[in-house]
Amino acid sequence: MKCQYLQGCPFYNDKMDIESGLGKLYKNRYCLGNNTKCARYMVCEQLGKEFVPIGLYPNMHEQAEEIILKHKHQ
Ligand code: SF4
């Protein structure tokens, strides 16, 4: 399923630096595939868009979890 954040997402819109082959792979895997597994999506859903760091890539699950934990416990 397509991610509902496609339009405004800096990753999907090539605003983030990424090796092109890998970018394509992630877009297929996350943005057009299983967006609920995307690190950016996870933070956005749990905390809100403003909590998603600029450099967070879809595969950075550990970082996403840390961010979520940190802010949920405040
Ligand atoms: S799956 Fe993640 S990277 Fe892709 S559009 Fe959605 S929030 Fe952005």
Side-chain angles (χ1 to χ4, degrees):
M1 214 179 68
K2 274 191 198 169
C3 178
Q4 67 267 41
Y5 301 126
L6 282 184
Q7 274 199 331
C9 182
F11 175 79
Y12 193 78
N13 293 286
D14 300 322
K15 302 257 159 51
M16 286 164 71
D17 217 15
I18 195 158
E19 197 269 306
S20 59
L22 208 58
K24 221 173 165 182
L25 187 93
Y26 287 169
K27 284 181 189 177
N28 284 332
R29 180 181 298 170
Y30 298 105
C31 312
L32 306 173
N34 194 349
N35 63 336
T36 57
K37 292 275 191 291
C38 167
R40 296 186 62 86
Y41 181 89
M42 285 161 61
V43 175
C44 196
E45 282 294 288
Q46 300 269 334
L47 302 170
K49 218 164 51 183
E50 62 274 25
F51 287 91
V52 185
I54 292 166
L56 191 75
Y57 285 89
N59 63 324
M60 294 183 168
H61 300 114
E62 270 180 39
Q63 287 90 328
E65 270 162 35
E66 272 172 30
I67 295 163
I68 291 164
L69 275 179
K70 197 169 118 194
H71 292 285
K72 281 219 153 162
H73 289 179
Q74 266 174 8

